[in-house]
Amino acid sequence: MQLANLAPIPELYVSYDSAQKLKLEAADLTSWDLSPRQICDLELLMNGGFNPLKGFMSEADYDGCVEDMRLADGSLWPMPITLDVDEAFADGIELGQDIALRDQEGVILGTMTVTDRWVPNKAREAEKVFGADDATHPAVNYLHNHAGKVYLGGPVTGIQQPVHYDFRARRDTPNELRAYFRKLGWRRIVAFQTRNPLHRAHQELTFRAAKEAQANLLIHPVVGMTKPGDIDHFTRVRCYEAVLDQYPQATTTMSLLNLAMRMAGPREAVWHGLIRRNHGCTHMIIGRDHAGPGKNSAGEDFYGPYDAQELFRAHAEEIGIEMVDFKHMVWVQDRAQYEPADEVEKDATVLNISGTELRRRLAEGLDIPEWFSFPQVVSELRKTRPPRSKQGFTVFFTGFSGSGKSTIANALMVKLMEMGGRPVTLLDGDIVRKNLSSELGFSKEHRDLNIRRIGYVASEITKNGGIAICAPIAPYATTRRAVREEIEQYGAFLEIHVATSIEECERRDRKGLYKLAREGKIKEFTGISDPYDVPEHAELVLDTEGVEVDHCAHQVLLKLEQMGLVAA
Ligand code: PPS
């Protein structure tokens, strides 16, 4: 029978006195401002959650990890933990140099002695670690579009933990959890990893798993970074607290894990196992499609449904964690109880609500029955996922100067205000250039900055339940895509191409700018002397030639109705 060895594991922190001294000395070091993901990684490096790693990976460790999930010394480690930086920063670093690692407010968390610097082959990393070089995979997208070009590696010295102001009492380092288990005499502990709210089926299956393994249960949700579009962790933790009351007292506890997930399916499962071992667990529940990223660009699953279980099982001994199968539980109506799907008699009436169906019911404000979830959980979810007709969203018009964007945007704003219910903000090209971007010109760099500022403001409005209407030219597809990604975390994004031709815009020449552009008096003029990427995936294309403004605005309203964003 496997019992936990709950002796403390090594951390990378120095003593309090040394940390105070180091902090002062580090003021003179070159500083790297960590990204949110790097902060999560650093926290788990420093507190032993990523034991045996002693810092961000060296090139040899990285190569072994990417190729066959092994560090240079042969130990199992399936996930690259690398410090990606931009070229300019990397160029200024000498090997052997110490750098300060700071959070986004500039607080120093640790130092790193840079022993390695290399330019990784990202396509290879994507293929080997995530299974495909396909940017629909969130970690591959991160790798190519957010991570820096150069990796730095070297041992880390921990000065202090990142500060968390939320749910402090629920956050534990591996050693804190180990001490807690020791104190309670828990020697067999099943971990349940999750990034979703728990419903009744989860409560049943986790409790059943713990009983079968004759173990206690650790609900160990990820609150660092999960899959884009997931329910935020504040809501989830309130939901988990409600579910925790449903377990028999003293059998179960919950702790929050500040992990940045990669959604790497099988490799991620092995990684999660190692992390749980470090946190003192002996067992872990691994389900169908564990840490799955969704569909790839061809509409297929990245991994087979049981790949994660197979890879985990093959390495269970080395991980030091026994795998517990995740039983798919269904509600058997005739007996009014949950039972494992594979044990239910053929003719029994079985009820189930899929994740997609749950989202639909929340989006449309429909009933969610008590057999499916606990009332407190549903009420929390309804607060953060109000029906679509009450959520914030962004309408983003794009098109040439003089195409009619502002006029249609204004008409749409007035129509939405007439309907009422949500605040409406118009971020028209001219208004923004006057108030937010007055120092910017029309170079590519400045246009990108302008659009990103608009995107940021629109994302805040959307997040807080308002309607943002944007109407810049926004000529570059990559920038529009980045804005879409930012906003879609919080609500719907409708790209509307006001597709008036350049000839018609020039013929209208309402501001006389086309004439000046033709004469070369205005440089880099979109459509004349600067490019415009025609949108390929716009939610709506408006043809304005010979069509009333009112009609164009009405088409947008119809689209919004069709998407459930305004009541019909
Ligand atoms: S961008 O590319 O999205 O940042 O442009 P935007 O902020 O929408 O600003 C476009 C308005 O600025 C005027 N203008 C120019 N447009 C394009 N190219 C050049 N070089 C330029 N110089 C000035 C023009 O009047 C645009 O107004 P709209 O409202 O689009 O007609």
Side-chain angles (χ1 to χ4, degrees):
M1 184 180 260
Q2 186 164 1
L3 294 180
N5 168 1
L6 295 171
I9 55 161
E11 299 185 349
L12 307 183
Y13 292 113
V14 290
S15 68
Y16 178 81
D17 288 343
S18 308
Q20 296 312 310
K21 204 164 141 254
L22 251 181
K23 238 193 222 175
L24 292 178
E25 289 166 10
D28 297 332
L29 298 180
T30 304
S31 283
W32 174 251
D33 295 339
L34 299 154
S35 68
R37 185 165 109 172
Q38 292 169 344
I39 294 176
C40 289
D41 286 355
L42 180 64
E43 177 169 353
L44 282 154
L45 280 172
M46 293 192 300
N47 70 18
F50 286 169
N51 184 56
L53 299 187
K54 298 283 178 265
F56 286 99
M57 281 182 172
S58 66
E59 188 171 4
D61 282 343
Y62 167 78
D63 281 339
C65 163
V66 169
E67 273 310 313
D68 62 359
M69 308 204 304
R70 298 210 172 264
L71 304 178
D73 69 0
S75 37
L76 180 70
W77 192 272
M79 196 58 63
I81 305 296
T82 46
L83 187 70
D84 60 278
V85 300
D86 55 66
E87 284 165 307
F89 183 81
D91 286 347
I93 301 295
E94 301 277 329
L95 292 187
Q97 183 179 338
D98 284 350
I99 58 171
L101 303 173
R102 296 180 186 270
D103 72 8
Q104 298 199 315
E105 287 170 29
V107 176
I108 178 160
L109 303 177
T111 61
M112 180 172 105
T113 306
V114 182
T115 56
D116 291 61
R117 174 183 49 205
W118 73 104
V119 176
N121 178 344
K122 290 190 176 179
R124 182 186 72 136
E125 182 178 334
E127 287 284 348
K128 291 274 184 183
V129 178
F130 304 111
D133 192 9
D134 179 337
T136 46
H137 191 299
V140 177
N141 179 32
Y142 185 93
L143 186 63
H144 287 304
N145 299 322
H146 298 278
K149 280 207 164 60
V150 185
Y151 288 176
L152 301 181
V156 161
T157 301
I159 295 181
Q160 62 183 45
Q161 300 191 42
V163 181
H164 299 289
Y165 296 105
D166 56 335
F167 307 113
R168 281 187 180 193
R170 289 279 186 205
R171 296 176 185 264
D172 305 280
T173 66
N175 281 330
E176 283 166 347
L177 263 189
R178 284 168 171 248
Y180 179 78
F181 297 153
R182 274 202 307 273
K183 184 168 166 184
L184 296 188
W186 291 12
R187 298 298 304 277
R188 289 166 66 83
I189 302 109
V190 182
F192 182 62
Q193 134 86 35
T194 183
R195 44 170 262 267
N196 288 313
L198 300 187
H199 302 293
R200 287 192 61 166
H202 300 104
Q203 196 266 336
E204 295 277 347
L205 89 85
T206 49
F207 190 56
R208 187 177 279 254
K211 266 200 300 199
E212 278 175 17
Q214 298 176 44
N216 291 92
L217 179 63
L218 170 69
I219 308 287
H220 209 195
V222 171
V223 296
M225 294 172 77
T226 62
K227 194 174 153 189
D230 279 349
I231 307 253
D232 67 273
H233 80 268
F234 299 103
T235 305
R236 285 191 287 117
V237 175
R238 290 195 298 270
C239 291
Y240 300 140
E241 303 220 310
V243 176
L244 211 55
D245 295 341
Q246 307 295 324
Y247 292 94
Q249 260 194 353
T251 60
T252 304
T253 192
M254 175 174 75
S255 178
L256 308 180
L257 181 66
N258 198 44
L259 173 71
M261 289 180 72
R262 316 303 210 240
M263 309 309 300
R267 278 193 182 228
E268 181 115 3
V270 172
W271 186 41
H272 286 176
L274 292 166
I275 295 167
R276 270 44 186 233
R277 178 201 62 199
N278 290 336
H279 284 79
C281 301
T282 49
H283 295 69
M284 180 171 181
I285 302 171
I286 302 283
R288 207 178 165 277
D289 195 26
H290 185 95
K295 306 273 184 216
N296 64 18
S297 51
E300 289 153 5
D301 288 330
F302 275 91
Y303 315 114
Y306 300 105
D307 290 1
Q309 289 187 339
E310 276 167 28
L311 194 71
F312 196 107
R313 201 177 283 115
H315 294 89
E317 202 163 317
E318 213 176 338
I319 299 171
I321 288 253
E322 219 171 286
M323 187 176 94
V324 184
D325 206 354
F326 178 109
K327 286 240 187 312
H328 179 56
M329 306 294 286
V330 288
W331 178 251
V332 183
Q333 196 174 31
D334 324 333
R335 281 194 289 279
Q337 64 181 17
Y338 274 94
E339 293 177 15
D342 56 0
E343 290 174 21
V344 177
E345 293 150 28
K346 269 204 185 73
D347 52 356
T349 311
V350 153
L351 300 180
N352 200 7
I353 292 182
S354 67
T356 314
E357 175 61 12
L358 175 65
R359 282 190 289 278
R360 189 188 74 87
R361 290 187 184 206
L362 285 170
E364 294 179 21
L366 300 173
D367 178 51
I368 296 166
E370 272 198 40
W371 63 259
F372 177 76
S373 195
F374 305 101
Q376 302 98 303
V377 172
V378 175
S379 119
E380 286 297 340
L381 293 181
R382 286 204 195 282
K383 279 190 234 159
T384 46
R385 287 280 196 274
R388 286 203 120 198
S389 60
K390 295 208 168 78
Q391 287 173 18
F393 63 88
T394 294
V395 179
F396 192 98
F397 291 97
T398 165
F400 291 121
S401 170
S403 56
K405 301 181 301 290
S406 308
T407 322
I408 303 169
N410 264 296
L412 177 68
M413 174 177 72
V414 172
K415 283 175 192 286
L416 287 168
M417 287 171 84
E418 183 184 0
M419 290 173 148
R422 278 169 289 195
V424 189
T425 307
L426 176 59
L427 296 164
D428 192 17
D430 286 341
I431 302 175
V432 171
R433 284 208 170 254
K434 203 153 131 209
N435 296 296
L436 276 182
S437 296
S438 55
E439 85 285 20
L440 300 184
F442 289 87
S443 63
K444 176 165 191 325
E445 199 192 354
H446 277 193
R447 288 183 200 253
D448 278 350
L449 203 51
N450 181 39
I451 300 306
R452 283 181 183 274
R453 285 179 188 172
I454 295 176
Y456 172 72
V457 177
S459 78
E460 286 294 307
I461 292 169
T462 303
K463 180 166 82 183
N464 293 314
I467 301 173
I469 304 176
C470 316
I473 297 178
Y476 307 122
T478 42
T479 327
R480 294 195 301 257
R481 184 184 150 170
V483 168
R484 176 189 287 273
E485 270 179 25
E486 189 177 358
I487 290 172
E488 281 184 342
Q489 296 176 61
Y490 307 115
F493 178 86
L494 277 85
E495 185 173 344
I496 300 188
H497 180 203
V498 183
T500 316
S501 65
I502 190 74
E503 294 77 20
E504 175 64 13
C505 294
E506 189 167 3
R507 197 188 54 72
R508 292 180 193 166
D509 204 4
R510 297 241 304 260
K511 298 182 185 166
L513 297 176
Y514 282 93
K515 184 168 174 289
L516 295 176
R518 285 284 178 210
E519 291 166 5
K521 294 188 181 137
I522 303 181
K523 304 269 180 272
E524 300 173 309
F525 198 86
T526 308
I528 305 293
S529 44
D530 212 59
Y532 178 80
D533 303 337
V534 174
E536 288 177 4
H537 304 291
E539 273 70 13
L540 190 66
V541 179
L542 291 178
D543 183 1
T544 64
E545 290 168 46
V547 185
E548 294 278 319
V549 171
D550 210 34
H551 179 73
C552 291
H554 191 65
Q555 274 181 278
V556 181
L557 273 187
L558 286 177
K559 186 74 196 174
L560 292 171
E561 262 177 41
Q562 194 195 349
M563 292 173 74
L565 292 165
V566 299

